[in-house]
Amino acid sequence: MEQYHYTCQYCGKEYKPNRRKKQKYCSNSCRTRAYQLRTPKLGSTVPQVEKKPESVKIDKISKAGVGNAFLGALLADGVQTLAKKVFENEDDKAATKKDFKEMKELLLSRYHRVYNLPPNGFGQLPYYDLNTKTIVYLKG
């Protein structure tokens, strides 16, 4: 085994070799990085250079930033609500409690329960329809 130290051909660090006259790099990581620099990746003509990760920058919270975020969210919600009011068709809107209440009042004003007739075979109760002037059976 060699008694003197070699110099790594990638990082320049001196090291004591583990193998005779075949070892050019101090570690496997230096060997693979040197290979990556020598051989370009597919579709690339420039050798890839390893970039060191940048330190993570943590932004501080300020009153102006909070205010800007609030106004931005408020503006986005306002634009969305306005767009729904302008472009949404009346038939496509979701039903509300008010709609159900109006529907119930409409049904109660058009249909009147007939108490002297028995329910039909399906358990539906008889109602008199004021518009068509007929007896209809509805689920009660």
Side-chain angles (χ1 to χ4, degrees):
M1 189 85 75
E2 300 289 331
Q3 295 298 322
Y4 57 92
H5 290 84
Y6 285 10
T7 303
C8 178
Q9 293 183 5
Y10 179 75
C11 67
K13 183 174 92 173
E14 286 194 12
Y15 66 97
K16 187 175 180 182
N18 295 333
R19 303 176 78 192
R20 288 187 190 170
K21 297 184 182 182
K22 293 191 180 228
Q23 194 171 344
K24 297 178 183 178
Y25 306 103
C26 63
S27 65
N28 283 336
S29 60
C30 282
R31 180 178 55 80
T32 56
R33 287 182 188 142
Y35 174 78
Q36 289 171 354
L37 284 175
R38 285 194 313 267
T39 57
K41 291 186 179 183
L42 290 176
S44 173
T45 56
V46 179
Q48 299 294 319
V49 178
E50 184 177 306
K51 293 182 180 178
K52 291 185 179 180
E54 296 179 12
S55 62
V56 177
K57 183 180 177 184
I58 299 175
D59 294 330
K60 295 183 179 179
I61 297 175
S62 66
K63 291 179 184 176
V66 171
N68 288 340
F70 175 74
L71 290 175
L74 187 65
L75 179 65
D77 288 343
V79 168
Q80 185 179 14
T81 305
L82 180 64
K84 279 185 179 179
K85 286 182 180 178
V86 171
F87 296 112
E88 191 172 25
N89 189 359
E90 286 292 323
D91 296 336
D92 296 336
K93 290 185 179 179
T96 62
K97 287 183 180 180
K98 181 181 175 186
D99 295 334
F100 284 116
K101 189 175 181 180
E102 289 174 358
M103 181 67 75
K104 185 177 180 181
E105 290 173 3
L106 178 67
L107 285 174
L108 291 177
S109 65
R110 179 177 175 182
Y111 299 103
H112 292 281
R113 171 86 161 85
V114 178
Y115 292 101
N116 60 352
L117 289 176
N120 68 0
F122 299 107
Q124 296 172 328
L125 301 175
Y127 287 89
Y128 182 73
D129 186 357
L130 293 175
N131 291 354
T132 61
K133 297 183 179 22
T134 60
I135 301 285
V136 293
Y137 285 88
L138 302 173
K139 190 167 189 169

